[in-house]
Amino acid sequence: MILDMTRYVQRAIVHQRERTALYNMCSILGEGEGSRGNEITELWMEYEANSSPEAKFVRDLDKVEMLLQALNCNGDEEGRDLDEFLRSAAGEFQTEIGKAWATEIASSREN
């Protein structure tokens, strides 16, 4: 229960920081109809809502990057193995290419 709450709080903090960064960046680029700032905000909202094939692909790319970072680790400071993490993350992919990359990454971990 505590671990779940910690994850929820951490996600909320990350989400708030992302929104703050988005607001800051888009205010520099300009706000309002037709502006670059508005376009980026709309694309970010599409990504957050996971509402398009492109958003799903970008989410999969984000997971691929996370898996590649994990692959370069041999475990954390406490010596825990990352295999379980890699297996659980692999099931989260939404696109066929993402699933194929996850399979490839997982198989390279086994070798």
Side-chain angles (χ1 to χ4, degrees):
M1 179 73 167
I2 292 174
L3 183 57
D4 289 338
M5 180 59 87
T6 301
R7 287 181 184 156
Y8 174 78
V9 170
Q10 289 173 340
R11 276 187 237 133
I13 291 169
V14 167
H15 186 71
Q16 180 57 43
R17 288 179 180 167
E18 287 172 341
R19 281 210 162 286
T20 299
L22 177 68
Y23 173 77
N24 291 336
M25 178 180 64
C26 290
S27 66
I28 293 168
L29 295 173
E31 300 175 48
E33 192 66 34
S35 70
R36 285 289 180 195
N38 188 53
E39 180 182 4
I40 290 171
T41 299
E42 288 175 4
L43 289 170
W44 180 258
M45 300 308 283
E46 181 181 309
Y47 170 80
E48 285 290 301
N50 200 30
S51 62
S52 70
E54 294 84 2
K56 292 175 189 332
F57 180 69
V58 172
R59 283 185 170 275
D60 278 3
L61 287 177
D62 189 41
K63 290 181 188 97
V64 164
E65 187 269 337
M66 177 194 62
L67 288 177
L68 290 171
Q69 282 190 32
L71 182 64
N72 289 322
C73 296
N74 292 324
D76 63 15
E77 303 82 40
E78 297 173 14
R80 291 181 287 208
D81 192 13
L82 294 173
D83 288 337
E84 183 178 338
F85 167 75
L86 291 169
R87 281 192 301 276
S88 69
E92 298 292 317
F93 287 85
Q94 302 176 71
T95 65
E96 291 306 314
I97 189 74
K99 291 173 187 175
W101 287 339
T103 299
E104 183 66 28
I105 292 166
S107 69
S108 69
R109 174 77 174 168
E110 294 168 4
N111 295 331

